[in-house]
Amino acid sequence: MFEQQYKSQEVFGVTTEILTPSYVNRGGLDARIEKLLGRDTHIALRGESKCGKSWLRKKNIPDAITVQCRLGKGVRDLYTDALAQLGLQLVTERTSEKGFKANLEASGEFAVKLLGKIAVKLGLEGELKTSAKSIPVGRDLDDLRFVSEIINESGRRLVIEDFHYLPHDARKAFAFDLKALWDYRTYVVIIGIWSENNLLLHLNSDLTGRVREVSIFWSADDLRAVLEQGSEALNISFSRQICGRLIHDSYGTVGILQTLALGILDEAGVERRQPSRVEISDEGAYESAAMAYADQLNAQYQTFAARVAAGIRRRTNATGIYAHMLKVVMEASVADLSSGFPRDQIYRLAAQREPRIQKPNLRQILLKIDGLQVDGEGRGLVLSYDEQKDEVFVVDKQLFFYRQYATAKWPWESIIEQVDETGAGYESDLEFDLQPVAS
């Protein structure tokens, strides 16, 4: 029987394309998503960073209108991006204090055809300008029926990725839009990281019965199945010890597992399917692969640390609170940061280090923590503060792996030392100014 001669990077690793030889449909999740896609419901896919949400979306909704959220974006930005992916742009011109003139313009063959369908539906086919590929419309992006008609005519599903990047107010506003979109038979898939069950229902209780949340998580058995399936494709096996370390160090995240598996194969010199079965058992090779991965992550997390440190103007009264808070959070257990680390607990531990820290001031710092981390394009969240639950949780679980294998000194440790040496206070001035820093 012919065996496909896979290369190792065609089996393991993190790529934009689905690596079929190691793709595991855990718990029949693909069938569940397919069933929900055939129903009149919004779908919320909740899962941690690197848990395979993108592969799941690409496999089950290959032709989606995929909009990426970024910190600082509003709901209108999501609709603007959705139209742009269809090759459409709504150009508005204000004619008075309350009036406006708008044209819907198309670029590309698909967009032109779509524009023609919309013109017919709106009774504007006579207004379609062939040369300009545009039609006048008396609506804007605040008209959800209009947005819904365009998406429905495209025949494609709207997918909102990285929903957790939206500010709380924008998330709540979009949750209310989802009720109207459901009424217009436009069903949306929302993908993101959040710590509580049924986030959208908490944001808008009217979505009850109109949205189904699906939690994406990996058990140890699921991760083991990825290794076994990929091993068969390459005619190799991982020893019990190596398999155990791969699963433990992945922290329930398949992306980490995939990266480590490819790394140890590189260290072992396995580049393609083996002619006879080879066991991967060298613990030294695993250590080298893990350290190499941690070294790759070093730039990412040191940039994160530097961005947060630089994001606070160096007022003595503010930096002490900030520095002790970050030290407590970054040293918290995997369980605490995964399920949500309460502010009460952060305060208690930080106050043990520095009794002058006050709890209300700590909340003001936490409210700004998301904005301090991101780059100029609104990306790069590692930690997030859930204002409703009053908890901090980890967005990127690679942080746990990095903490385990890297020996870097964080900048807030130096700030604590500096503040302690000067003997400066922490609470006399609440006018600290938290400013995000461009990358």
Side-chain angles (χ1 to χ4, degrees):
M1 185 176 68
F2 172 76
E3 298 287 351
Q4 187 165 343
Q5 300 301 303
Y6 287 109
K7 296 180 180 178
S8 58
Q9 66 266 26
E10 295 172 334
V11 177
F12 291 115
V14 175
T15 69
T16 54
E17 301 300 320
I18 299 172
L19 299 180
T20 305
S22 63
Y23 181 87
V24 170
N25 177 22
R26 64 257 186 227
L29 193 56
D30 287 335
R32 186 179 177 191
I33 297 299
E34 184 178 356
K35 181 186 294 184
L36 290 176
L37 287 170
R39 296 180 177 177
D40 295 349
T41 184
H42 299 307
I43 304 171
L45 299 180
R46 166 195 175 210
E48 298 153 346
S49 176
K50 305 292 188 299
C51 75
K53 298 187 297 295
S54 294
W55 278 13
L56 187 70
R57 188 262 302 164
K58 288 178 181 179
K59 189 172 188 299
N60 292 283
I61 323 170
D63 192 32
I65 306 168
T66 306
V67 175
Q68 298 281 346
C69 297
R70 292 289 179 261
L71 203 67
K73 274 192 174 183
V75 175
R76 285 175 62 93
D77 296 319
L78 303 184
Y79 301 137
T80 299
D81 285 358
L83 264 60
Q85 291 199 37
L86 295 172
L88 297 172
Q89 182 182 13
L90 190 67
V91 181
T92 60
E93 175 186 340
R94 187 159 298 281
T95 57
S96 65
E97 188 66 29
K98 296 184 179 180
F100 66 92
K101 180 173 66 176
N103 286 317
L104 187 61
E105 300 181 352
S107 60
E109 183 178 351
F110 175 82
V112 172
K113 290 180 180 179
L114 178 59
L115 188 68
K117 292 181 180 179
I118 296 168
V120 170
K121 190 164 188 176
L122 298 178
L124 297 171
E125 59 266 40
E127 300 286 347
L128 182 60
K129 303 174 185 177
T130 304
S131 58
K133 300 183 180 65
S134 70
I135 55 172
V137 290
R139 313 180 187 189
D140 64 10
L141 294 180
D142 290 325
D143 186 340
L144 280 181
R145 181 185 290 275
F146 177 55
V147 173
S148 178
E149 286 172 347
I150 294 174
I151 294 172
N152 290 346
E153 284 297 331
S154 75
R156 297 166 64 184
R157 179 80 62 146
L158 176 61
V159 173
I160 306 297
E161 284 204 336
D162 294 332
F163 186 65
H164 53 280
Y165 271 96
L166 290 182
H168 176 74
D169 290 346
R171 277 180 282 177
K172 189 163 188 176
F174 188 70
F176 278 85
D177 278 6
L178 284 173
K179 167 60 169 62
L181 290 169
W182 188 89
D183 290 337
Y184 300 140
R185 304 186 66 80
T186 300
Y187 308 114
V188 184
V189 178
I190 303 95
I191 303 175
I193 303 169
W194 49 87
S195 59
E196 61 185 312
N197 293 327
N198 295 308
L199 170 68
L200 292 168
L201 297 185
H202 287 286
L203 295 172
N204 180 9
S205 59
D206 286 341
L207 288 174
T208 301
R210 296 176 173 88
V211 61
R212 292 291 299 275
E213 181 176 285
V214 178
S215 179
I216 305 171
F217 65 93
W218 292 81
S219 67
D221 287 341
D222 293 331
L223 295 173
R224 188 174 290 107
V226 172
L227 295 175
E228 291 173 351
Q229 190 168 305
S231 295
E232 285 300 316
L234 291 172
N235 198 26
I236 63 169
S237 64
F238 293 102
S239 70
R240 182 177 179 181
Q241 291 77 12
I242 296 297
C243 184
R245 293 192 68 175
L246 284 166
I247 292 171
H248 174 271
D249 291 352
S250 296
Y251 296 98
T253 303
V254 73
I256 298 177
L257 183 88
Q258 288 275 6
T259 302
L260 284 173
L262 181 60
I264 192 173
L265 291 181
D266 287 343
E267 292 291 335
V270 175
E271 298 180 359
R272 60 185 68 249
R273 180 178 172 82
Q274 299 299 290
S276 58
R277 180 75 65 167
V278 171
E279 183 181 62
I280 309 300
S281 59
D282 185 350
E283 300 248 3
Y286 180 83
E287 287 289 335
S288 296
M291 294 303 294
Y293 185 19
D295 189 57
Q296 292 174 24
L297 294 173
N298 188 62
Q300 175 182 341
Y301 289 113
Q302 288 304 309
T303 298
F304 149 76
R307 188 179 291 134
V308 175
I312 295 184
R313 292 181 180 174
R314 300 306 178 88
R315 296 187 182 184
T316 304
N317 295 329
T319 54
I321 305 169
Y322 141 82
H324 281 288
M325 177 274 293
L326 273 179
K327 185 171 177 62
V328 167
V329 169
M330 293 293 283
E331 292 178 357
S333 69
V334 171
D336 280 338
L337 285 177
S338 296
S339 61
F341 195 25
R343 177 168 61 101
D344 285 346
Q345 191 173 347
I346 296 171
Y347 167 69
R348 179 175 57 81
L349 294 172
Q352 288 175 1
R353 298 172 181 270
E354 175 46 67
R356 291 173 292 178
I357 293 175
Q358 295 180 11
K359 192 174 178 180
N361 297 6
L362 183 60
R363 183 175 185 274
Q364 295 305 310
I365 292 287
L366 290 174
L367 285 170
K368 300 289 186 178
I369 195 67
D370 286 27
L372 292 178
Q373 301 169 60
V374 298
D375 60 18
E377 296 181 0
R379 298 175 299 185
L381 273 182
V382 176
L383 303 168
S384 185
Y385 174 60
D386 186 330
E387 185 178 352
Q388 300 302 303
K389 296 181 70 178
D390 202 16
E391 294 176 345
V392 175
F393 66 97
V394 72
V395 172
D396 183 358
K397 279 197 170 181
Q398 289 179 121
L399 174 65
F400 298 144
F401 179 87
Y402 180 71
R403 289 193 318 186
Q404 180 178 343
Y405 284 96
T407 55
K409 182 175 181 179
W410 299 106
W412 39 85
E413 294 175 357
S414 298
I415 294 174
I416 290 172
E417 292 171 2
Q418 183 180 17
V419 172
D420 288 345
E421 286 173 3
T422 61
Y426 287 82
E427 308 295 343
S428 61
D429 181 6
L430 260 182
E431 296 180 356
F432 35 79
D433 191 1
L434 302 166
Q435 297 291 339
V437 175
S439 297

